[in-house]
Amino acid sequence: MSYFRSFALLATHQRPCNACYLGLVLRHRRNLSFSIRKNAKGQSQLNSKEAYSGLKETFVRMARFDLPLIINPIRGQTHVFDMNVVYMDTAVANSKGTVLLVHGVPGNFRMFEGIARPMVERGYRVVIPHFPGFSGTHFVDGRDEKLFHHTTENKSMFLSTFIDRLDLHREIVLIVAHSAGTYPTMHYITTSAKINSAAKNKALVLLNPTVHRPFRALPNPFLLAFLTTCWKQPALRTVVEGILHRLASYLKIRYDNIDLLAIAIMTAVKINFEQINQCVTALRVSDWQILTTISENDQYIESHLSHDFLRILGVDPHHILRYDNHLQLQSTGYRRDLTTNRRALVFSHGCHFSHQQHPSVVALEILKMLPTK
């Protein structure tokens, strides 16, 4: 069984006992550390070619921790979720710092391969956690899946707990988030005093962020909420699955299986746009360096909403790099002589995955945000 087939099996929730489950995840970890070679001065250096191979085929890890969450705000009811978290960690020896990548919904570490490679080659540690319900991350008690709400607050708390568990606060030099992963990331950054005081380099990349207002991928939130509620009922699941398949085809939504699609929809219907507006406004006045990428032909989000998002975030038109459908840089008055901590890349053709469509362009701009020492 290949590595990716093993990972695909995990994503379908076909889980054996925990010991066998972890064994399946780790079966293809051929190396436990990167190859280190000596340079002319006798200093250790990372073998970049083997490092990238390792990003794909090694360093799949699992951590078990408790996640206390409020499950009923009105009654103040809390619950402690016991979960096994699957994540990628390149664990570079003597790294220059840690880059945390946060996937969207659906999503997993594979979505970042094109932009993660240059970071690993330059000696940065790359860590990519999988949210509950995605690519192997699961609750020890299956009943907890019905209690966990895929809200911005819950996922923000998940990120906070994960970062605490790995003690990454002082090591993080860059956070990269894609699509729906931008919501919990923005919430975490704007509410966590710990990351704001401890981070070595306050840099954030928002890849095709889901925006501050309802967008086209949410045609009818009430209908979607009704469908996901019915999907949780075994007697109705078969009927709802057929409807969800048709809906995904109409909206051109990528998904690996129907469970992930249902979680994606549950995430979407629980978006609190007032809260997101507060997060974006807080980021605007923060001292974080922010790079945002958007696409004019995004199939999920209208172009004018993405541009409005840039405006609220405080991106000046003189700090927007625009690329046409041939990936040629357009002359739009970009001012390289003006210093700023808010920049944006706008692609004519990048769909909702501009970092996968144009990894070299996006990676080059991301690398500029990393500390040189």
Side-chain angles (χ1 to χ4, degrees):
M1 185 187 300
S2 69
Y3 168 77
F4 285 115
R5 285 184 63 193
S6 299
F7 218 85
L9 177 59
L10 297 175
T12 61
H13 302 273
Q14 301 176 28
R15 305 189 194 101
C17 66
N18 284 342
C20 297
Y21 175 76
L22 181 57
L24 180 60
V25 179
L26 304 180
R27 180 174 297 174
H28 295 275
R29 289 179 59 182
R30 292 198 293 265
N31 303 305
L32 295 179
S33 61
F34 283 122
S35 173
I36 303 295
R37 57 185 172 81
K38 299 289 185 178
N39 63 12
K41 298 181 179 180
Q43 299 171 331
S44 296
Q45 291 186 336
L46 182 69
N47 185 319
S48 60
K49 183 176 181 180
E50 293 184 22
Y52 184 55
S53 175
L55 178 64
K56 294 192 295 184
E57 299 182 354
T58 64
F59 303 108
V60 181
R61 303 187 178 192
M62 180 185 287
R64 181 171 178 174
F65 59 78
D66 297 332
L67 179 64
L69 293 174
I70 298 176
I71 59 175
N72 191 326
I74 297 177
R75 298 180 181 179
Q77 183 180 359
T78 61
H79 181 77
V80 178
F81 293 87
D82 184 10
M83 64 174 64
N84 285 326
V85 179
V86 172
Y87 63 100
M88 298 294 295
D89 185 355
T90 60
V92 177
N94 302 317
S95 71
K96 298 178 181 178
T98 298
V99 179
L100 179 72
L101 294 101
V102 183
H103 68 75
V105 179
N108 54 48
F109 79 92
R110 286 175 291 180
M111 309 187 79
F112 295 114
E113 288 184 34
I115 61 173
R117 176 177 183 173
M119 303 175 195
V120 177
E121 289 179 341
R122 285 160 178 78
Y124 290 94
R125 176 187 181 188
V126 173
V127 179
I128 313 174
H130 288 156
F131 281 120
F134 292 91
S135 297
T137 295
H138 68 284
F139 300 103
V140 175
D141 186 343
R143 293 173 295 182
D144 282 356
E145 292 185 14
K146 296 182 179 180
L147 295 176
F148 183 80
H149 301 297
H150 295 267
T151 61
T152 296
E153 296 94 331
N154 283 3
K155 291 189 173 183
S156 174
M157 182 59 71
F158 169 84
L159 285 178
S160 178
T161 305
F162 178 82
I163 292 171
D164 282 343
R165 178 65 182 267
L166 269 65
D167 196 22
L168 299 176
H169 296 92
R170 294 179 179 82
E171 299 299 322
I172 288 179
V173 294
L174 174 66
I175 300 178
V176 181
H178 172 242
S179 187
T182 59
Y183 284 167
T185 301
M186 291 190 297
H187 185 273
Y188 169 67
I189 288 176
T190 55
T191 58
S192 172
K194 196 169 184 179
I195 188 65
N196 280 279
S197 62
K200 295 166 59 176
N201 182 57
K202 296 181 181 179
L204 171 67
V205 177
L206 304 175
L207 303 171
N208 295 96
T210 36
V211 291
H212 56 295
R213 290 168 52 189
F215 43 92
R216 68 162 63 100
L218 289 172
N220 190 323
F222 298 104
L223 173 62
L224 296 179
F226 174 74
L227 288 175
T228 54
T229 300
C230 294
W231 177 81
K232 293 180 180 180
Q233 309 302 319
L236 301 174
R237 178 163 293 193
T238 301
V239 175
V240 176
E241 284 182 355
I243 298 175
L244 292 181
H245 278 303
R246 289 180 176 273
L247 182 63
S249 177
Y250 172 74
L251 296 175
K252 299 180 180 179
I253 297 176
R254 299 182 187 180
Y255 64 97
D256 295 325
N257 61 58
I258 198 65
D259 290 341
L260 298 184
L261 176 62
I263 293 175
I265 294 176
M266 283 189 280
T267 300
V269 299
K270 293 181 182 296
I271 297 174
N272 182 336
F273 288 104
E274 181 180 355
Q275 178 189 68
I276 299 307
N277 272 281
Q278 293 173 355
C279 290
V280 178
T281 303
L283 277 177
R284 178 186 180 124
V285 298
S286 73
D287 58 349
W288 282 73
Q289 180 187 180
I290 304 174
L291 171 68
T292 308
T293 72
I294 65 172
S295 302
E296 301 286 5
N297 68 333
D298 193 314
Q299 66 269 43
Y300 303 146
I301 302 172
E302 295 87 335
S303 176
H304 72 275
L305 292 181
S306 294
H307 283 281
D308 195 36
F309 179 89
L310 294 181
R311 180 186 60 80
I312 297 175
L313 193 59
V315 180
D316 188 282
H318 292 302
H319 295 121
I320 297 177
L321 288 172
R322 302 177 186 275
Y323 291 87
D324 62 21
N325 55 355
H326 299 294
L327 207 58
Q328 297 297 312
L329 185 61
Q330 297 176 312
S331 177
T332 57
Y334 183 83
R335 297 285 301 277
R336 295 185 181 275
D337 58 316
L338 298 177
T339 58
T340 181
N341 60 355
R342 303 284 185 275
R343 296 183 300 121
L345 304 179
V346 177
F347 296 96
S348 294
H349 287 71
C351 300
H352 193 62
F353 304 87
S354 58
H355 62 293
Q356 291 183 300
Q357 296 286 330
H358 313 296
S360 59
V361 175
V362 176
L364 180 62
E365 294 300 322
I366 291 177
L367 290 174
K368 295 178 183 178
M369 305 178 71
L370 292 170
T372 56
K373 296 182 179 181

